[in-house]
PDB file of all heavy atoms in Angstrom:
ATOM      1  N   MET A 191      17.493  17.697  -8.272  1.00 97.00           N
ATOM      2  CA  MET A 191      18.805  17.058  -8.322  1.00 97.00           C
ATOM      3  C   MET A 191      19.308  17.078  -9.762  1.00 97.00           C
ATOM      4  O   MET A 191      18.653  16.562 -10.667  1.00 97.00           O
ATOM      5  CB  MET A 191      18.715  15.609  -7.829  1.00 97.00           C
ATOM      6  CG  MET A 191      20.038  14.874  -7.801  1.00 97.00           C
ATOM      7  SD  MET A 191      19.864  13.073  -7.669  1.00 97.00           S
ATOM      8  CE  MET A 191      18.913  12.903  -6.160  1.00 97.00           C
ATOM      9  N   VAL A 205      19.644   1.580 -14.269  1.00 97.00           N
ATOM     10  CA  VAL A 205      19.054   2.695 -13.533  1.00 97.00           C
ATOM     11  C   VAL A 205      18.660   3.877 -14.419  1.00 97.00           C
ATOM     12  O   VAL A 205      17.764   4.649 -14.058  1.00 97.00           O
ATOM     13  CB  VAL A 205      20.007   3.171 -12.412  1.00 97.00           C
ATOM     14  CG1 VAL A 205      21.149   4.020 -12.970  1.00 97.00           C
ATOM     15  CG2 VAL A 205      19.243   3.943 -11.334  1.00 97.00           C
ATOM     16  N   LEU A 206      19.298   4.043 -15.551  1.00 98.00           N
ATOM     17  CA  LEU A 206      19.023   5.225 -16.370  1.00 98.00           C
ATOM     18  C   LEU A 206      17.544   5.381 -16.735  1.00 98.00           C
ATOM     19  O   LEU A 206      16.983   6.477 -16.571  1.00 98.00           O
ATOM     20  CB  LEU A 206      19.893   5.211 -17.624  1.00 98.00           C
ATOM     21  CG  LEU A 206      21.304   5.785 -17.447  1.00 98.00           C
ATOM     22  CD1 LEU A 206      22.140   5.549 -18.703  1.00 98.00           C
ATOM     23  CD2 LEU A 206      21.244   7.271 -17.120  1.00 98.00           C
ATOM     24  N   PRO A 207      16.867   4.336 -17.228  1.00 97.00           N
ATOM     25  CA  PRO A 207      15.442   4.534 -17.522  1.00 97.00           C
ATOM     26  C   PRO A 207      14.603   4.829 -16.284  1.00 97.00           C
ATOM     27  O   PRO A 207      13.565   5.485 -16.378  1.00 97.00           O
ATOM     28  CB  PRO A 207      15.030   3.205 -18.177  1.00 97.00           C
ATOM     29  CG  PRO A 207      16.087   2.220 -17.818  1.00 97.00           C
ATOM     30  CD  PRO A 207      17.343   3.008 -17.645  1.00 97.00           C
ATOM     31  N   VAL A 208      15.054   4.366 -15.133  1.00 97.00           N
ATOM     32  CA  VAL A 208      14.356   4.652 -13.877  1.00 97.00           C
ATOM     33  C   VAL A 208      14.501   6.133 -13.523  1.00 97.00           C
ATOM     34  O   VAL A 208      13.518   6.822 -13.203  1.00 97.00           O
ATOM     35  CB  VAL A 208      14.916   3.778 -12.732  1.00 97.00           C
ATOM     36  CG1 VAL A 208      14.219   4.119 -11.415  1.00 97.00           C
ATOM     37  CG2 VAL A 208      14.756   2.305 -13.060  1.00 97.00           C
ATOM     38  N   LEU A 209      15.728   6.620 -13.583  1.00 98.00           N
ATOM     39  CA  LEU A 209      15.999   8.017 -13.236  1.00 98.00           C
ATOM     40  C   LEU A 209      15.269   8.977 -14.169  1.00 98.00           C
ATOM     41  O   LEU A 209      14.817  10.044 -13.747  1.00 98.00           O
ATOM     42  CB  LEU A 209      17.505   8.284 -13.294  1.00 98.00           C
ATOM     43  CG  LEU A 209      18.373   7.487 -12.320  1.00 98.00           C
ATOM     44  CD1 LEU A 209      19.846   7.791 -12.544  1.00 98.00           C
ATOM     45  CD2 LEU A 209      17.992   7.788 -10.875  1.00 98.00           C
ATOM     46  N   LYS A 210      15.174   8.594 -15.430  1.00 96.00           N
ATOM     47  CA  LYS A 210      14.547   9.475 -16.426  1.00 96.00           C
ATOM     48  C   LYS A 210      13.091   9.746 -16.094  1.00 96.00           C
ATOM     49  O   LYS A 210      12.548  10.797 -16.482  1.00 96.00           O
ATOM     50  CB  LYS A 210      14.660   8.816 -17.812  1.00 96.00           C
ATOM     51  CG  LYS A 210      14.344   9.753 -18.965  1.00 96.00           C
ATOM     52  CD  LYS A 210      15.384  10.854 -19.074  1.00 96.00           C
ATOM     53  CE  LYS A 210      15.087  11.767 -20.265  1.00 96.00           C
ATOM     54  NZ  LYS A 210      16.030  12.910 -20.317  1.00 96.00           N
ATOM     55  N   GLU A 211      12.461   8.847 -15.356  1.00 95.00           N
ATOM     56  CA  GLU A 211      11.031   8.983 -15.070  1.00 95.00           C
ATOM     57  C   GLU A 211      10.730   9.643 -13.725  1.00 95.00           C
ATOM     58  O   GLU A 211       9.569   9.833 -13.389  1.00 95.00           O
ATOM     59  CB  GLU A 211      10.370   7.600 -15.119  1.00 95.00           C
ATOM     60  CG  GLU A 211      10.469   6.902 -16.473  1.00 95.00           C
ATOM     61  CD  GLU A 211       9.862   7.724 -17.594  1.00 95.00           C
ATOM     62  OE1 GLU A 211       8.762   8.286 -17.387  1.00 95.00           O
ATOM     63  OE2 GLU A 211      10.487   7.815 -18.666  1.00 95.00           O
ATOM     64  N   ILE A 212      11.764   9.972 -12.945  1.00 97.00           N
ATOM     65  CA  ILE A 212      11.541  10.531 -11.610  1.00 97.00           C
ATOM     66  C   ILE A 212      11.540  12.058 -11.675  1.00 97.00           C
ATOM     67  O   ILE A 212      12.526  12.681 -12.110  1.00 97.00           O
ATOM     68  CB  ILE A 212      12.612  10.044 -10.619  1.00 97.00           C
ATOM     69  CG1 ILE A 212      12.525   8.520 -10.468  1.00 97.00           C
ATOM     70  CG2 ILE A 212      12.432  10.726  -9.253  1.00 97.00           C
ATOM     71  CD1 ILE A 212      13.596   7.928  -9.579  1.00 97.00           C
ATOM     72  N   ASN A 213      10.447  12.665 -11.249  1.00 97.00           N
ATOM     73  CA  ASN A 213      10.352  14.121 -11.227  1.00 97.00           C
ATOM     74  C   ASN A 213      11.404  14.705 -10.295  1.00 97.00           C
ATOM     75  O   ASN A 213      11.599  14.214  -9.181  1.00 97.00           O
ATOM     76  CB  ASN A 213       8.963  14.561 -10.778  1.00 97.00           C
ATOM     77  CG  ASN A 213       7.887  14.240 -11.790  1.00 97.00           C
ATOM     78  OD1 ASN A 213       8.139  14.175 -12.989  1.00 97.00           O
ATOM     79  ND2 ASN A 213       6.652  14.048 -11.317  1.00 97.00           N
ATOM     80  N   GLY A 214      12.071  15.721 -10.756  1.00 98.00           N
ATOM     81  CA  GLY A 214      13.068  16.401  -9.924  1.00 98.00           C
ATOM     82  C   GLY A 214      14.486  15.933 -10.162  1.00 98.00           C
ATOM     83  O   GLY A 214      15.420  16.508  -9.606  1.00 98.00           O
ATOM     84  N   ILE A 215      14.667  14.884 -10.972  1.00 98.00           N
ATOM     85  CA  ILE A 215      16.014  14.426 -11.316  1.00 98.00           C
ATOM     86  C   ILE A 215      16.305  14.792 -12.761  1.00 98.00           C
ATOM     87  O   ILE A 215      15.594  14.367 -13.681  1.00 98.00           O
ATOM     88  CB  ILE A 215      16.176  12.908 -11.113  1.00 98.00           C
ATOM     89  CG1 ILE A 215      16.017  12.547  -9.635  1.00 98.00           C
ATOM     90  CG2 ILE A 215      17.537  12.441 -11.636  1.00 98.00           C
ATOM     91  CD1 ILE A 215      16.212  11.070  -9.331  1.00 98.00           C
ATOM     92  N   ASP A 216      17.329  15.586 -12.960  1.00 98.00           N
ATOM     93  CA  ASP A 216      17.796  15.946 -14.295  1.00 98.00           C
ATOM     94  C   ASP A 216      19.129  15.268 -14.546  1.00 98.00           C
ATOM     95  O   ASP A 216      20.077  15.429 -13.754  1.00 98.00           O
ATOM     96  CB  ASP A 216      17.961  17.463 -14.423  1.00 98.00           C
ATOM     97  CG  ASP A 216      16.650  18.215 -14.273  1.00 98.00           C
ATOM     98  OD1 ASP A 216      15.613  17.683 -14.729  1.00 98.00           O
ATOM     99  OD2 ASP A 216      16.655  19.318 -13.701  1.00 98.00           O
ATOM    100  N   LEU A 217      19.234  14.511 -15.614  1.00 98.00           N
ATOM    101  CA  LEU A 217      20.475  13.835 -15.985  1.00 98.00           C
ATOM    102  C   LEU A 217      21.342  14.821 -16.754  1.00 98.00           C
ATOM    103  O   LEU A 217      20.997  15.244 -17.862  1.00 98.00           O
ATOM    104  CB  LEU A 217      20.169  12.601 -16.825  1.00 98.00           C
ATOM    105  CG  LEU A 217      19.257  11.561 -16.153  1.00 98.00           C
ATOM    106  CD1 LEU A 217      18.964  10.414 -17.114  1.00 98.00           C
ATOM    107  CD2 LEU A 217      19.883  11.045 -14.881  1.00 98.00           C
ATOM    108  N   ASN A 467       7.038  -0.269  -9.183  1.00 93.00           N
ATOM    109  CA  ASN A 467       8.171   0.322  -9.885  1.00 93.00           C
ATOM    110  C   ASN A 467       9.404  -0.568  -9.796  1.00 93.00           C
ATOM    111  O   ASN A 467       9.454  -1.519  -9.021  1.00 93.00           O
ATOM    112  CB  ASN A 467       8.492   1.696  -9.293  1.00 93.00           C
ATOM    113  CG  ASN A 467       7.348   2.675  -9.469  1.00 93.00           C
ATOM    114  OD1 ASN A 467       6.944   2.964 -10.590  1.00 93.00           O
ATOM    115  ND2 ASN A 467       6.815   3.174  -8.368  1.00 93.00           N
ATOM    116  N   HIS A 468      10.425  -0.220 -10.564  1.00 95.00           N
ATOM    117  CA  HIS A 468      11.721  -0.889 -10.526  1.00 95.00           C
ATOM    118  C   HIS A 468      12.290  -0.809  -9.115  1.00 95.00           C
ATOM    119  O   HIS A 468      12.034   0.146  -8.364  1.00 95.00           O
ATOM    120  CB  HIS A 468      12.665  -0.215 -11.530  1.00 95.00           C
ATOM    121  CG  HIS A 468      13.988  -0.871 -11.683  1.00 95.00           C
ATOM    122  ND1 HIS A 468      15.044  -0.617 -10.837  1.00 95.00           N
ATOM    123  CD2 HIS A 468      14.442  -1.764 -12.592  1.00 95.00           C
ATOM    124  CE1 HIS A 468      16.088  -1.330 -11.209  1.00 95.00           C
ATOM    125  NE2 HIS A 468      15.755  -2.039 -12.288  1.00 95.00           N
ATOM    126  N   MET A 470      15.019   0.078  -7.938  1.00 97.00           N
ATOM    127  CA  MET A 470      15.838   1.246  -7.597  1.00 97.00           C
ATOM    128  C   MET A 470      15.036   2.537  -7.565  1.00 97.00           C
ATOM    129  O   MET A 470      15.573   3.590  -7.195  1.00 97.00           O
ATOM    130  CB  MET A 470      17.001   1.367  -8.587  1.00 97.00           C
ATOM    131  CG  MET A 470      17.937   0.167  -8.583  1.00 97.00           C
ATOM    132  SD  MET A 470      19.284   0.293  -9.773  1.00 97.00           S
ATOM    133  CE  MET A 470      20.333   1.512  -8.974  1.00 97.00           C
ATOM    134  N   HIS A 471      13.766   2.458  -7.935  1.00 98.00           N
ATOM    135  CA  HIS A 471      12.943   3.662  -8.028  1.00 98.00           C
ATOM    136  C   HIS A 471      12.774   4.344  -6.678  1.00 98.00           C
ATOM    137  O   HIS A 471      13.014   5.555  -6.535  1.00 98.00           O
ATOM    138  CB  HIS A 471      11.574   3.300  -8.617  1.00 98.00           C
ATOM    139  CG  HIS A 471      10.604   4.436  -8.675  1.00 98.00           C
ATOM    140  ND1 HIS A 471       9.760   4.755  -7.627  1.00 98.00           N
ATOM    141  CD2 HIS A 471      10.351   5.344  -9.640  1.00 98.00           C
ATOM    142  CE1 HIS A 471       9.027   5.799  -7.949  1.00 98.00           C
ATOM    143  NE2 HIS A 471       9.355   6.174  -9.172  1.00 98.00           N
ATOM    144  N   ASP A 472      12.363   3.587  -5.663  1.00 97.00           N
ATOM    145  CA  ASP A 472      12.010   4.196  -4.379  1.00 97.00           C
ATOM    146  C   ASP A 472      13.203   4.859  -3.706  1.00 97.00           C
ATOM    147  O   ASP A 472      13.062   5.909  -3.065  1.00 97.00           O
ATOM    148  CB  ASP A 472      11.394   3.149  -3.455  1.00 97.00           C
ATOM    149  CG  ASP A 472      10.022   2.685  -3.946  1.00 97.00           C
ATOM    150  OD1 ASP A 472       9.508   3.257  -4.917  1.00 97.00           O
ATOM    151  OD2 ASP A 472       9.479   1.732  -3.365  1.00 97.00           O
ATOM    152  N   GLU A 473      14.379   4.259  -3.815  1.00 98.00           N
ATOM    153  CA  GLU A 473      15.543   4.865  -3.168  1.00 98.00           C
ATOM    154  C   GLU A 473      15.898   6.197  -3.823  1.00 98.00           C
ATOM    155  O   GLU A 473      16.224   7.168  -3.127  1.00 98.00           O
ATOM    156  CB  GLU A 473      16.747   3.918  -3.177  1.00 98.00           C
ATOM    157  CG  GLU A 473      17.264   3.526  -4.526  1.00 98.00           C
ATOM    158  CD  GLU A 473      18.518   2.664  -4.450  1.00 98.00           C
ATOM    159  OE1 GLU A 473      19.165   2.612  -3.394  1.00 98.00           O
ATOM    160  OE2 GLU A 473      18.848   2.042  -5.486  1.00 98.00           O
ATOM    161  N   PHE A 474      15.796   6.292  -5.145  1.00 98.00           N
ATOM    162  CA  PHE A 474      16.152   7.547  -5.806  1.00 98.00           C
ATOM    163  C   PHE A 474      15.076   8.612  -5.629  1.00 98.00           C
ATOM    164  O   PHE A 474      15.379   9.808  -5.627  1.00 98.00           O
ATOM    165  CB  PHE A 474      16.494   7.311  -7.278  1.00 98.00           C
ATOM    166  CG  PHE A 474      17.934   6.956  -7.476  1.00 98.00           C
ATOM    167  CD1 PHE A 474      18.345   5.640  -7.516  1.00 98.00           C
ATOM    168  CD2 PHE A 474      18.900   7.952  -7.575  1.00 98.00           C
ATOM    169  CE1 PHE A 474      19.686   5.310  -7.669  1.00 98.00           C
ATOM    170  CE2 PHE A 474      20.237   7.641  -7.737  1.00 98.00           C
ATOM    171  CZ  PHE A 474      20.639   6.317  -7.782  1.00 98.00           C
ATOM    172  N   VAL A 475      13.837   8.209  -5.470  1.00 98.00           N
ATOM    173  CA  VAL A 475      12.804   9.181  -5.085  1.00 98.00           C
ATOM    174  C   VAL A 475      13.145   9.777  -3.732  1.00 98.00           C
ATOM    175  O   VAL A 475      13.052  10.999  -3.518  1.00 98.00           O
ATOM    176  CB  VAL A 475      11.417   8.513  -5.061  1.00 98.00           C
ATOM    177  CG1 VAL A 475      10.392   9.421  -4.384  1.00 98.00           C
ATOM    178  CG2 VAL A 475      10.963   8.181  -6.474  1.00 98.00           C
ATOM    179  N   ALA A 476      13.565   8.912  -2.799  1.00 98.00           N
ATOM    180  CA  ALA A 476      13.959   9.383  -1.469  1.00 98.00           C
ATOM    181  C   ALA A 476      15.198  10.287  -1.549  1.00 98.00           C
ATOM    182  O   ALA A 476      15.249  11.346  -0.897  1.00 98.00           O
ATOM    183  CB  ALA A 476      14.237   8.196  -0.551  1.00 98.00           C
ATOM    184  N   PHE A 477      16.181   9.893  -2.345  1.00 98.00           N
ATOM    185  CA  PHE A 477      17.401  10.696  -2.475  1.00 98.00           C
ATOM    186  C   PHE A 477      17.090  12.075  -3.056  1.00 98.00           C
ATOM    187  O   PHE A 477      17.637  13.081  -2.609  1.00 98.00           O
ATOM    188  CB  PHE A 477      18.414   9.987  -3.375  1.00 98.00           C
ATOM    189  CG  PHE A 477      18.886   8.653  -2.857  1.00 98.00           C
ATOM    190  CD1 PHE A 477      19.348   7.677  -3.740  1.00 98.00           C
ATOM    191  CD2 PHE A 477      18.865   8.352  -1.498  1.00 98.00           C
ATOM    192  CE1 PHE A 477      19.782   6.448  -3.278  1.00 98.00           C
ATOM    193  CE2 PHE A 477      19.290   7.121  -1.030  1.00 98.00           C
ATOM    194  CZ  PHE A 477      19.755   6.169  -1.923  1.00 98.00           C
ATOM    195  N   GLN A 478      16.213  12.096  -4.053  1.00 98.00           N
ATOM    196  CA  GLN A 478      15.861  13.376  -4.674  1.00 98.00           C
ATOM    197  C   GLN A 478      15.237  14.310  -3.651  1.00 98.00           C
ATOM    198  O   GLN A 478      15.586  15.500  -3.574  1.00 98.00           O
ATOM    199  CB  GLN A 478      14.895  13.130  -5.836  1.00 98.00           C
ATOM    200  CG  GLN A 478      14.633  14.363  -6.710  1.00 98.00           C
ATOM    201  CD  GLN A 478      13.599  15.301  -6.112  1.00 98.00           C
ATOM    202  OE1 GLN A 478      12.671  14.848  -5.430  1.00 98.00           O
ATOM    203  NE2 GLN A 478      13.751  16.598  -6.337  1.00 98.00           N
ATOM    204  N   ALA A 479      14.348  13.788  -2.818  1.00 98.00           N
ATOM    205  CA  ALA A 479      13.696  14.622  -1.806  1.00 98.00           C
ATOM    206  C   ALA A 479      14.694  15.084  -0.746  1.00 98.00           C
ATOM    207  O   ALA A 479      14.668  16.251  -0.313  1.00 98.00           O
ATOM    208  CB  ALA A 479      12.553  13.844  -1.155  1.00 98.00           C
TER     209      ALA A 479
END
Side-chain angles (χ1 to χ4, degrees):
M191 182 196 303
V205 77
L206 276 172
V208 178
L209 298 177
K210 193 67 178 175
E211 299 302 316
I212 297 176
N213 291 332
I215 296 182
D216 296 325
L217 302 177
N467 297 300
H468 185 276
M470 299 179 74
H471 176 272
D472 292 354
E473 62 176 344
F474 273 93
V475 168
F477 298 154
Q478 190 279 328

